[in-house]
Amino acid sequence: MAKSNILLIYTGGTIGMVKDYASDSLKAFNFKKLLQRIPELNQLDCAIDSVSFKEPIDSSNMNTVHWVQIAEIIAENYDRYDGFVVLHGSDTMSYTASALSFMLENLSKPVIFTGSQLPIGDLRTDAKENLITSVQIAALTEKGKAVVQEVGLYFEYKLLRANRTTKINAEHFEAFQSMNYTPLVSSGVHLKVHKEALLPRKRQKKLKVHKSLDSNVGILKLFPGLGQNLLQSILSTPGLKGLVLETYGSGNAPTETWWTEMLKKATASGLKIVNVTQCAGGGVIPGQYETSVHLKKMKIINGGDITTEAAITKLMYLLGVGTSDKTFKSVFETSLRGEMS
Ligand code: ASP
């Protein structure tokens, strides 16, 4: 059987960082050196090529231009490779990976994001296992077709659907969680693929890459005491087109008149407001409590059990592709890439 061809795309992140002794902080370093540190990659039964960002970055510096760059690398190499592994800093990995899941329509090959909490050169690094298993998952085929045909995020023995993930720990190797969806693959003595959890295999449709993302969006996390001035200034941000409102519990928000009136005015003037819960698990159930009835009445978009990361990137994507005002709410409330239940 032919070997799988895998393309590694290195964007930066802790995995390839070294200590800069002048500033005593971690900085991205040359990718070639990174590969030399993992000779085990040569033992895998697949051919691995790599490309690197010219300037690898800490993922705190990620923006939509970088997302387009990653999408373009995948698009340009789509026919030549069987799978893609994107090395990325963990801090904003869930955002980038969620964005890519929307940008890559009709994806029928694996795009696996991974990184690490400790640099590859560190004795106790988690980078090797994350990278090696990600490559193995990207190379998995069945009857000549890729097993995983979606964007995933692999960290600490689990492949998760990328747009279901959130970084939940800055210390533990288990840095990501997918509270509302089960893992796609578990890695133990054997790699166990949970087939029923994967997005169904698609009939070969041509990959469509959406590069236009609208970043005129924002996130507002509610807290008791949030004042009128703050809400007012956020809603009157020049050019603002979409807002993710992180509400309490199952989608609840204050019912004071000024709150309701301001939100009503904003939605009436065309602002797309998405209700998501600030809880780690579960989702929005409009109207379950009296404190969400007003949001339901003013047709605020129900984010269901979507993560904030997926909600903000879905907003950028749907605004970017020019979704009409008439259909926006229903399109957003539909699961496009398995991002909501
Ligand atoms: N600050 C790093 C980054 O996100 C953290 C990591 O890679 O885990 O680039």
Side-chain angles (χ1 to χ4, degrees), residues 13-15 17 57-60 88-92 116-117 167:
T14 299
I15 193 161
M17 288 187 179
I57 54 169
D58 183 297
S59 76
S60 306
H88 191 289
S90 62
D91 288 349
T92 61
S116 64
Q117 293 279 56
K167 182 171 179 182

Side-chain angles (χ1 to χ4, degrees), residues 203-334:
R203 257 189 288 133
Q204 286 286 332
K205 274 201 200 156
K206 207 170 156 10
L207 177 76
K208 219 170 167 186
V209 183
H210 300 279
K211 297 188 205 171
S212 156
L213 297 166
D214 195 328
S215 357
N216 287 303
V217 292
I219 300 174
L220 175 61
K221 180 173 183 162
L222 303 195
F223 60 91
L226 191 157
Q228 208 160 335
N229 288 348
L230 181 64
L231 184 63
Q232 180 59 53
S233 67
I234 289 171
L235 293 178
S236 51
T237 304
L240 188 72
K241 294 185 193 154
L243 183 70
V244 175
L245 203 59
E246 273 198 6
T247 57
Y248 307 122
S250 49
N252 309 318
T255 49
E256 281 166 87
T257 314
W258 63 268
W259 248 102
T260 312
E261 287 309 313
M262 272 187 198
L263 291 185
K264 230 193 229 166
K265 210 169 128 205
T267 44
S269 67
L271 183 70
K272 312 286 184 293
I273 303 181
V274 183
N275 186 3
V276 306
T277 176
Q278 53 184 253
C279 293
V284 169
I285 308 175
Q288 186 178 31
Y289 288 86
E290 196 192 0
T291 44
S292 67
V293 171
H294 55 323
L295 305 180
K296 189 177 172 187
K297 274 197 191 143
M298 63 179 99
K299 303 237 168 344
I300 281 186
I301 299 165
N302 172 11
D305 66 351
I306 200 168
T307 61
T308 297
E309 291 86 339
I312 193 81
T313 51
K314 190 172 182 179
L315 261 184
M316 290 180 179
Y317 162 69
L318 290 180
L319 289 167
V321 295
T323 311
S324 73
D325 282 350
K326 243 176 104 191
T327 59
F328 202 94
K329 180 168 155 55
S330 67
V331 176
F332 195 103
E333 290 176 355
T334 308

